[in-house]
Amino acid sequence: MTTRDRLLGLTVVILWGLNFLAIRAGLDQYPPFFFAALRFAVIAVPVVLFVRPPRVPLRWLLLYGTGFGLLQFAFLFAAMNAGMPTGLASLVLQSSAPFTVVLGALLLREHVGPRQWLGIGVAVGGMVLIGWDRAQTATLIPVLLTLLAGLSWAFGNLGNRLAKSTEPMRLMLWMTVVPPLPLFALSAAVEGPTAGWSALAVSVTTGQLWGLVGLAYIVFLGTIVGSGLWTVLIARNPAGVVAPFSLLVPVVGIAASWIVLDETPSVLSLVGAAVVIGGCLWGLGTTRRSAELVRPELAAVAPVARSGQHHEPVARSGQQHGPVARSGQHHEPVARSGQHHEPVARSGQR
């Protein structure tokens, strides 16, 4: 991952951390499923009218939209409406990171190095520490609902990855077309067909606009900017490399809830947040050398695997026998110092 991508990842962390304050403002005025439907409908209508669909298989777009959009926010908003504290919700939702790494390794066979596993394990340990300290403020059902939201996000990440779109922003925008109708239907069935619209009318006529301010933040900064950058990152980096960034979101979420909502964190929560940051920095600091290790028994006959993207060995001598691969493109093996066409084991194992 490049330095630019790391900075983009940190930008997403800040936007999504503050997003929980906007969600709380909206849920204080609107029913949860209606509010979730509204946040996507505001984007989906102009997307359908003015944005060309991405050239990706429909099944992966549906998986992305269902996991990342429909299920994640249905479960999350229901959890927060049922009493999940804002700061704790921002923490538990980031269970999507280990879910994504495990699903990516099992289903997509993406390479996850020992250092990444260790860093994620340390960060998850910090999340558990914060969750254990704050669990006294939340019942079991909201916590389980938020964990389901994290699992749904992970499946959405896999749909994004499998789509292999060369137009990640267009893919993200069309993802928002999937959730609105199912969420409006769910709202009508569970909350009543007029409950959400009545709440919206009341907020406008009485001038209580904080819910709409929260909606505007979620739509433009949380979804279009934040999710757009996330889509770009996960489209050009392995899921296991991008996912740990989301572990930093609860640090911002807890701090923002402390400042704005007076949800004062304990010393133990702050220690847990520091552990999360340390784990993420360690896992994301994986060196290029460790990312290019190959299994010893395959090193002599197989090309180097770099984070799950397969290509032929790269020239070291500057003498090229084929085009150099960039970003997963294939090229031919090149001789090193007069040795012709033998794959190079970069880990030192042959």
Side-chain angles (χ1 to χ4, degrees):
M1 177 177 282
T2 65
T3 300
R4 182 185 65 177
D5 280 358
R6 287 190 175 94
L7 292 175
L8 292 178
L10 292 176
T11 300
V12 175
V13 166
I14 295 172
L15 292 176
W16 281 355
L18 297 178
N19 204 41
F20 286 88
L21 297 181
I23 292 173
R24 174 55 63 195
L27 292 177
D28 286 343
Q29 290 187 296
Y30 308 119
F33 297 138
F34 175 82
F35 187 52
L38 196 62
R39 64 157 291 177
F40 286 109
V42 170
I43 306 173
V45 172
V47 166
V48 170
L49 293 176
F50 302 112
V51 180
R52 175 181 58 78
R55 296 186 179 92
V56 298
L58 180 60
R59 64 183 180 276
W60 303 134
L61 175 61
L62 291 176
L63 177 59
Y64 181 26
T66 300
F68 189 90
L70 171 60
L71 295 179
Q72 178 190 180
F73 289 97
F75 285 129
L76 175 63
F77 285 15
M80 294 180 68
N81 191 65
M84 190 72 167
T86 304
L88 186 56
S90 70
L91 165 70
V92 178
L93 183 62
Q94 307 319 314
S95 58
S96 64
F99 281 142
T100 299
V101 172
V102 172
L103 291 176
L106 293 178
L107 301 181
L108 305 186
R109 296 185 178 181
E110 292 189 339
H111 172 73
V112 181
R115 182 169 177 174
Q116 284 177 283
W117 283 118
L118 179 60
I120 290 172
V122 171
V124 169
M127 290 173 58
V128 171
L129 186 63
I130 298 173
W132 179 80
D133 180 61
R134 297 172 65 89
Q136 58 185 341
T137 64
T139 61
L140 181 60
I141 290 179
V143 172
L144 292 178
L145 288 172
T146 311
L147 284 172
L148 287 174
L151 180 60
S152 301
W153 182 358
F155 275 106
N157 283 342
L158 295 192
N160 180 359
R161 189 77 176 149
L162 289 167
K164 298 180 180 178
S165 176
T166 57
E167 306 168 303
M169 192 65 180
R170 197 181 300 274
L171 175 64
M172 186 280 296
L173 291 173
W174 269 87
M175 175 275 296
T176 66
V177 176
V178 177
L181 292 180
L183 285 171
F184 276 127
L186 184 61
S187 174
V190 176
E191 299 161 346
T194 62
W197 300 107
S198 298
L200 181 60
V202 168
S203 67
V204 172
T205 56
T206 60
Q208 299 176 357
L209 302 179
W210 280 113
L212 292 179
V213 172
L215 177 65
Y217 182 96
I218 293 169
V219 167
F220 294 107
L221 296 179
T223 301
I224 294 178
V225 179
S227 297
L229 291 176
W230 183 262
T231 300
V232 170
L233 289 173
I234 207 166
R236 66 191 186 194
N237 296 281
V241 174
V242 179
F245 272 104
S246 65
L247 293 170
L248 296 173
V249 172
V251 178
V252 178
I254 290 172
S257 299
W258 181 9
I259 296 171
V260 178
L261 302 178
D262 201 27
E263 293 182 1
T264 305
S266 66
V267 173
L268 193 58
S269 291
L270 295 177
V271 171
V275 173
V276 171
I277 294 175
C280 286
L281 293 177
W282 174 260
L284 291 170
T286 302
T287 62
R288 180 180 295 257
R289 177 182 177 85
S290 65
E292 294 175 349
L293 291 178
V294 294
R295 289 166 50 188
E297 66 270 26
L298 299 179
V301 295
V304 176
R306 181 177 298 177
S307 301
Q309 299 178 355
H310 300 283
H311 55 81
E312 299 297 324
V314 181
R316 294 286 182 93
S317 64
Q319 300 173 352
Q320 299 185 356
H321 293 255
V324 177
R326 294 187 180 179
S327 304
Q329 298 175 353
H330 297 277
H331 55 82
E332 298 299 324
V334 179
R336 183 199 291 182
S337 302
Q339 298 177 0
H340 298 286
H341 303 284
E342 292 296 326
V344 176
R346 298 210 179 173
S347 63
Q349 300 168 339
R350 298 188 57 81

